[in-house]
């Protein structure tokens, strides 16, 4: 079964950034404690609510193809990534049957491979 969040359960989209704010800096968040059914489509659906997601990737075991329990989501700019990190980290994942909370941190590398931010974990 495909599990997609009920977007009405998410907080309202974040306000737009002040002019010129957040255009540089880290744009990629590490997303931890993912379950097997939490795939890229799920990540896009969750994180694109009110933000501009430019990429999402679930890290998989090369031998089995199963989710390794974490992934990355990249936003259009630092401001949107920062708003999600500060606003959603530790908050309940919508429609999760067991009340799981978001585990978010700055990624050590962007999805494009550029270094920046803190190590996830």
């Amino acid at each position: 079964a495909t599990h997609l969040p009920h977007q009405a359960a998410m907080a309202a989209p974040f306000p737009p950034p002040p002019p010129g704010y957040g255009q540089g800096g880290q744009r990629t968040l590490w997303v931890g404690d993912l379950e097997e059914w939490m795939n890229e489509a799920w990540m896009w659906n969750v994180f694109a609510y009110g933000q501009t997601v430019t990429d999402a990737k679930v890290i998989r075991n090369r031998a089995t193809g199963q989710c390794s329990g974490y992934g990355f989501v990249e936003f259009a700019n630092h401001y949107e990534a920062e708003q999600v990190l500060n606003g959603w980290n530790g908050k309940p994942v919508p429609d999760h049957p067991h009340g799981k909370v978001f585990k978010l941190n700055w990624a050590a590398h962007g999805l494009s491979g550029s270094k920046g931010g803190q190590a996830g974990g």
Side-chain angles (χ1 to χ4, degrees):
T2 301
H3 297 11
L4 295 175
H6 180 58
Q7 289 185 335
M10 300 301 293
F14 298 107
Y21 177 82
Q23 299 307 309
Q26 177 64 292
R27 302 180 300 137
T28 305
L29 297 180
W30 171 88
V31 183
D33 205 16
L34 295 179
E35 296 183 13
E36 185 60 35
W37 57 266
M38 295 174 169
N39 58 19
E40 283 86 355
W42 179 86
M43 289 179 64
W44 276 87
N45 191 31
V46 169
F47 292 105
Y49 182 65
Q51 287 73 236
T52 304
V53 171
T54 58
D55 203 357
K57 182 165 183 64
V58 172
I59 304 305
R60 300 191 176 279
N61 179 298
R62 289 182 184 168
T64 66
Q66 294 191 337
C67 176
S68 292
Y70 69 99
F72 300 93
V73 63
E74 185 174 84
F75 296 90
N77 59 57
H78 176 77
Y79 178 77
E80 291 182 350
E82 182 178 55
Q83 293 303 301
V84 170
L85 176 63
N86 293 334
W88 294 11
N89 190 37
K91 299 290 191 287
V93 173
D95 295 340
H96 193 276
H98 307 293
K100 181 180 288 275
V101 298
F102 284 108
K103 288 190 177 180
L104 306 173
N105 204 340
W106 290 113
H109 299 277
L111 285 171
S112 62
S114 60
K115 181 138 178 82
Q118 303 171 11

